[in-house]
């Protein structure tokens, strides 16, 4: 799979030391081969995560999850559909790889059963849909009470990314340790690399990866300034 290997190598060269790959659009055997290719390409020093976007039922997710276990993946996101709470529990109990989910949940009440019934190891509230900063703080508090980590989900515009960065900057380590370890007890941010002008061209000062990190904006409000000329391109009557 030279195309996949080249893409992964390019991301590492750009400064990423943690990568998330998409799975679930192909037969299990083909996804398993892609998983192996990515791990063999980056070696053991790059942290790998997988996102199925709820493409599997529980039985298939477990089959794929065992491949992720074999190759030391640090997270298996949305293995089954959000409504299949029993499926989440079945997958989590069968695998070592931490299970994450929650981008499709709304408010702390939507997360309550997810967290209290130990469906996931990592909860992923999206600030744009779960209720904003205040509700995300409540969800994170509920999660920490039950030993789950909170990693805000983000996908879409530069505004959403700025909000998630601000949230990540104030979430406490969970659990607290002297030394923060990304994803293990410190939140991380997803910096999607598929072309997206609403993320990459919307700001006067676009987000740029620097030594594997994104700076938290320090201006007023969310810390960003919208390029009004770019915004006008997307205005409709």
């Amino acid at each position: 799979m030279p195309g996949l290997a080249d893409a992964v190598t390019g991301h590492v060269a750009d400064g990423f030391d943690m990568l998330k790959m998409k799975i679930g659009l192909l037969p299990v055997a083909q996804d398993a081969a892609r998983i192996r290719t990515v791990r063999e390409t980056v070696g053991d020093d790059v942290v790998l995560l997988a996102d199925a976007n709820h493409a599997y039922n529980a039985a298939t997710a477990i089959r794929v999850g065992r491949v992720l276990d074999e190759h030391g993946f640090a997270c298996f996101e949305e293995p089954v559909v959000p409504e299949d709470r029993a499926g989440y529990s079945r997958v989590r109990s069968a695998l070592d790889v931490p299970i994450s989910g929650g981008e499709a949940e709304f408010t702390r009440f939507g997360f309550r059963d997810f967290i209290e019934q130990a469906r996931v190891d990592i909860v992923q509230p999206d600030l744009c849909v779960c209720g904003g900063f205040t509700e995300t703080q409540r969800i994170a508090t509920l999660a920490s009470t039950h030993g789950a980590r909170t990693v805000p989900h983000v996908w879409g515009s530069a505004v959403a990314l700025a909000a998630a960065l601000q949230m990540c900057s104030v979430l406490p380590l969970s659990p607290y340790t002297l030394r923060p370890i990304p994803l293990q007890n410190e939140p991380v941010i997803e910096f999607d690399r598929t072309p997206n002008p609403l993320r990459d061209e919307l700001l006067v000062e676009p987000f740029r990866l620097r030594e594997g990190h994104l700076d938290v904006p320090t201006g007023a409000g969310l810390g960003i300034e919208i390029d009004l000329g770019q915004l006008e391109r997307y205005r409709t009557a």
Side-chain angles (χ1 to χ4, degrees):
M1 298 183 181
L4 179 60
D6 290 345
V8 171
T9 299
H11 290 317
V12 174
D14 287 341
F16 288 92
D17 56 12
M18 181 180 294
L19 299 174
K20 184 166 78 171
M21 67 178 295
K22 178 73 179 75
I23 59 176
L25 296 178
L26 298 170
V28 171
Q30 292 182 38
D31 264 340
R34 294 174 66 252
I35 291 166
R36 295 188 192 97
T37 295
V38 171
R39 175 54 80 195
E40 290 169 359
T41 300
V42 302
D44 294 331
D45 292 334
V46 174
V47 178
L48 294 178
L49 307 86
D51 187 354
N53 289 119
H54 47 82
Y56 304 126
N57 59 32
T60 307
I62 290 169
R63 289 176 60 199
V64 175
R66 286 174 179 149
V67 181
L68 300 176
D69 277 342
E70 177 186 352
H71 294 282
F73 273 61
C75 180
F76 187 4
E77 183 177 342
E78 285 200 312
V80 297
V81 297
E83 295 80 11
D84 186 7
R85 303 306 178 85
Y88 262 99
S89 295
R90 182 179 168 193
V91 172
R92 184 170 183 256
S93 65
L95 301 174
D96 292 328
V97 59
I99 305 301
S100 69
E103 67 182 79
E105 296 297 330
F106 306 95
T107 78
R108 63 192 182 277
F109 302 105
F111 279 87
R112 180 175 55 193
D113 174 60
F114 229 46
I115 293 169
E116 291 182 348
Q117 299 301 317
R119 314 290 189 183
V120 293
D121 301 281
I122 301 169
V123 297
Q124 296 178 285
D126 190 308
L127 273 77
C128 294
V129 297
C130 80
F133 288 101
T134 300
E135 197 68 2
T136 298
Q137 287 181 310
R138 292 168 176 158
I139 292 164
T141 299
L142 180 62
S144 67
T145 304
H146 292 269
R149 291 164 276 168
T150 299
V151 175
H153 174 270
V154 60
W155 191 91
S157 73
V159 177
L161 181 57
L165 277 167
Q166 297 290 353
M167 190 74 245
C168 283
S169 73
V170 300
L171 283 174
L173 301 182
S174 182
Y176 179 82
T177 62
L178 181 62
R179 180 180 179 182
I181 302 173
L183 194 63
Q184 185 168 309
N185 71 331
E186 181 183 40
V188 296
I189 196 79
E190 181 173 349
F191 190 36
D192 183 48
R193 296 292 73 214
T194 53
N196 181 354
L198 287 176
R199 180 195 61 231
D200 300 328
E201 301 172 12
L202 192 63
L203 303 184
V204 173
E205 291 292 334
F207 289 106
R208 291 185 174 88
L209 195 71
R210 183 175 61 83
E211 297 180 355
H213 297 79
L214 292 179
D215 292 330
V216 178
T218 57
L222 293 179
I224 56 176
E225 182 180 354
I226 302 296
D227 185 330
L228 297 181
Q230 290 291 336
L231 185 64
E232 187 67 20
R233 293 174 54 197
Y234 301 102
R235 187 163 71 94
T236 60

